[in-house]
Amino acid sequence: MENNNGSKSWAFRGNEKLNIDTTDTIGGTLYWLRHTISNNEDERPLIPFSNGDPAIFPCFRTSLRAETAVVRALQSAEFNTYCPFFGTLPARRAVAEYLSRDLPYKLSPDDAYMTLGCTQAIEVIVTVLASPGANILLPKPGFPTFEARCSFSNLEFRHFDLLPDKGWEMDLDAIEALADEDTVAIVIINPGSPCGVVFTYDHLKKVAELAKKLGILVISDEVYEHLTFGDNPFIRMATFGSIVPVVTLGSLSKRWAVPAWRMGWLAICDPTGALRNSGITEQIMACLSLYSDPATFIQAALPEILLDTEDEFFANRLDLLREGANVLFERMKEIPCIRCDRKPEGAIFAMAELNLSQLEDIEDDVDFCFKLAKEESVLMVPGVVVGVKNWLRFCFAIEPSALEDGITRLKAFCQRHAKRQ
């Protein structure tokens, strides 16, 4: 084909799958929220209720032992080389031992694969499962990276609800109704982002039994593992590996508050051998061979980080999260148009329902968040981005003073936009 001037037209063109509305993603939404307030004259500090990265606050600084392990590995000059694409043996052994502490059986290094954070682990398992015609079951609300990766890989996804009136439990009846002969897996996120739920042993066992009945595997996103501060302890889904094969996804990013280290893992928790017999593990290896691997010196530090971090560090972290959850839950009661019926018990987020009938000139949760950012320099993720319209996602893993200040500004915003009697 030629242009009007007689020269040949350019042949290149982009991937149409990337022609997406960036406000459908958390990162895209936050970009536009920050852009909205870039010219604000408000001299008050920005309050990031939208934040999924506690590391920006000094009170959430990671363990000194973890930092020392990384520095020592880097300064040794022994880890400046490439490593196996699926991870170094000491790192994989450390992940296997770390996960096995919570399981009734032992994992081996061959069950663990190192990834560039949990995001790459999601990408890998979605890519592996994306056979023609297959579908996967995803929670709503949930983590939109799963939907994005499924769409890019042509893997159909179907949503099942988490039920707010039942403590955000999974709707097991809906799961069974959604599944068919082409369903390959179900995703659970525990501790739950963005709802702050920690699923009980009994509930997880029911999920395992249902997955077995349906003949599907369970993908368990446990990036918020052990960040629990309510009545329910953290139970690994792989506890039920003898019932159903489980692929566990995790990382250092949340428990250690070091997302920039990009250290994650994917673990096959399959004591019956169902996944290995199906060829899934070989496909995981093949997929990983196409990607870059995590930094070798971070992998070198991993055994000490996972296995020797001091208990005091974890206890202090949970105290901060517990107090943040308490403050958020109690102070939300002061704002009539926002309802938070359940105190979060894990992770770093809470969901609250927005009552638009009590507000003027607010169209929906997206409009609410953009006007809040503009008027009060408070950033918050609208619920529609995580799957539920006219809800709000709060992060309470921020400095205590910033948390109080942010709620005060939010309250003032809601009072200013409240319908007049």
Side-chain angles (χ1 to χ4, degrees):
M1 182 182 295
E2 294 184 350
N3 291 322
N4 292 334
N5 61 8
S7 62
K8 187 176 181 178
S9 298
W10 297 114
F12 55 79
R13 58 185 180 274
N15 187 337
E16 293 184 357
K17 290 182 181 179
L18 293 175
N19 293 333
I20 62 174
D21 183 353
T22 54
T23 58
D24 289 339
T25 68
I26 293 175
T29 299
L30 294 182
Y31 169 81
W32 289 111
L33 283 170
R34 290 181 180 275
H35 181 74
T36 296
I37 63 176
S38 59
N39 295 321
N40 273 13
E41 297 180 358
D42 193 343
E43 296 182 354
R44 296 175 298 177
L46 182 69
I47 304 296
F49 281 145
S50 57
N51 188 47
D53 179 8
I56 66 174
F57 297 103
C59 66
F60 283 97
R61 181 173 176 171
T62 195
S63 158
L64 178 61
R65 180 163 293 179
E67 293 177 349
T68 302
V70 170
V71 170
R72 188 163 50 244
L74 179 62
Q75 292 182 334
S76 74
E78 296 176 6
F79 306 103
N80 295 331
T81 62
Y82 292 122
C83 70
F85 59 83
F86 48 88
T88 66
L89 178 58
R92 291 184 290 116
R93 181 183 293 118
V95 170
E97 182 177 341
Y98 173 69
L99 297 179
S100 295
R101 289 175 171 179
D102 302 317
L103 299 176
Y105 54 91
K106 297 296 183 183
L107 301 180
S108 78
D110 291 338
D111 295 318
Y113 307 87
M114 308 312 302
T115 61
L116 277 166
C118 194
T119 299
Q120 190 185 68
I122 292 171
E123 181 176 355
V124 168
I125 192 59
V126 167
T127 301
V128 166
L129 293 175
S131 60
N135 68 75
I136 188 172
L137 309 181
L138 302 179
K140 184 180 72 172
F143 183 46
T145 292
F146 279 102
E147 284 86 346
R149 290 310 317 177
C150 287
S151 294
F152 199 74
S153 298
N154 289 326
L155 177 60
E156 179 191 349
F157 57 86
R158 301 174 180 181
H159 285 122
F160 62 89
D161 288 329
L162 304 182
L163 304 172
D165 57 341
K166 293 187 177 181
W168 296 108
E169 284 190 347
M170 291 172 269
D171 188 339
L172 301 184
D173 292 335
I175 291 170
E176 185 164 8
L178 282 171
D180 60 23
E181 64 276 7
D182 294 318
T183 304
V184 293
I186 180 174
V187 170
I188 69 168
I189 304 174
N190 184 45
S193 168
C195 303
V197 62
V198 181
F199 296 125
T200 65
Y201 180 98
D202 289 342
H203 190 59
L204 292 174
K205 185 177 181 182
K206 289 178 182 177
V207 173
E209 291 169 342
L210 177 56
K212 178 181 180 180
K213 176 182 177 181
L214 298 173
I216 62 177
L217 68 89
V218 177
I219 300 169
S220 187
D221 181 340
E222 297 176 359
V223 73
Y224 293 99
E225 58 180 10
H226 292 292
L227 294 183
T228 60
F229 36 85
D231 294 332
N232 297 330
F234 169 60
I235 304 293
R236 291 200 185 278
M237 188 66 206
T239 300
F240 309 101
S242 60
I243 299 175
V244 63
V246 176
V247 173
T248 297
L249 313 180
S251 78
L252 290 181
S253 62
K254 305 304 182 183
R255 194 181 186 198
W256 277 265
V258 286
W261 292 7
R262 309 308 301 152
M263 178 53 60
W265 52 81
L266 182 156
I268 300 298
C269 306
D270 180 32
T272 66
L275 289 179
R276 293 195 180 279
N277 294 337
S278 71
I280 290 290
T281 53
E282 287 82 359
Q283 292 175 355
I284 289 172
M285 291 278 282
C287 189
L288 283 169
S289 71
L290 303 175
Y291 296 123
S292 297
D293 40 87
T296 310
F297 71 93
I298 303 289
Q299 292 193 54
L302 195 61
E304 185 172 351
I305 296 171
L306 287 181
L307 306 177
D308 296 325
T309 296
E310 59 276 23
D311 291 340
E312 183 181 4
F313 166 75
F314 295 129
N316 290 339
R317 176 64 49 84
L318 291 182
D319 285 343
L320 282 169
L321 294 177
R322 183 182 296 107
E323 180 59 24
N326 288 340
V327 169
L328 179 68
F329 181 70
E330 292 301 325
R331 292 212 55 193
M332 282 298 99
K333 298 175 183 177
E334 303 171 12
I335 307 176
C337 66
I338 299 176
R339 191 180 74 187
C340 183
D341 287 338
R342 185 176 178 85
K343 184 190 301 183
E345 297 184 340
I348 62 175
F349 299 114
M351 295 295 292
E353 190 171 14
L354 185 62
N355 187 345
L356 293 173
S357 68
Q358 297 187 27
L359 297 170
E360 289 189 351
D361 66 1
I362 301 291
E363 296 179 6
D364 54 25
D365 53 331
V366 175
D367 188 39
F368 181 97
C369 289
F370 274 85
K371 288 178 177 174
L372 175 66
K374 186 68 176 177
E375 297 178 25
E376 295 289 347
S377 294
V378 174
L379 297 185
M380 190 177 303
V381 172
V384 69
V385 178
V386 294
V388 283
K389 188 174 179 61
N390 294 332
W391 286 67
L392 303 170
R393 191 196 77 169
F394 288 82
C395 176
F396 51 84
I398 65 177
E399 290 277 4
S401 59
L403 180 62
E404 292 278 6
D405 185 15
I407 296 173
T408 298
R409 295 192 213 175
L410 175 64
K411 182 178 179 181
F413 174 84
C414 291
Q415 288 174 338
R416 189 161 58 248
H417 289 271
K419 281 188 177 178
R420 307 305 173 193
Q421 298 297 325

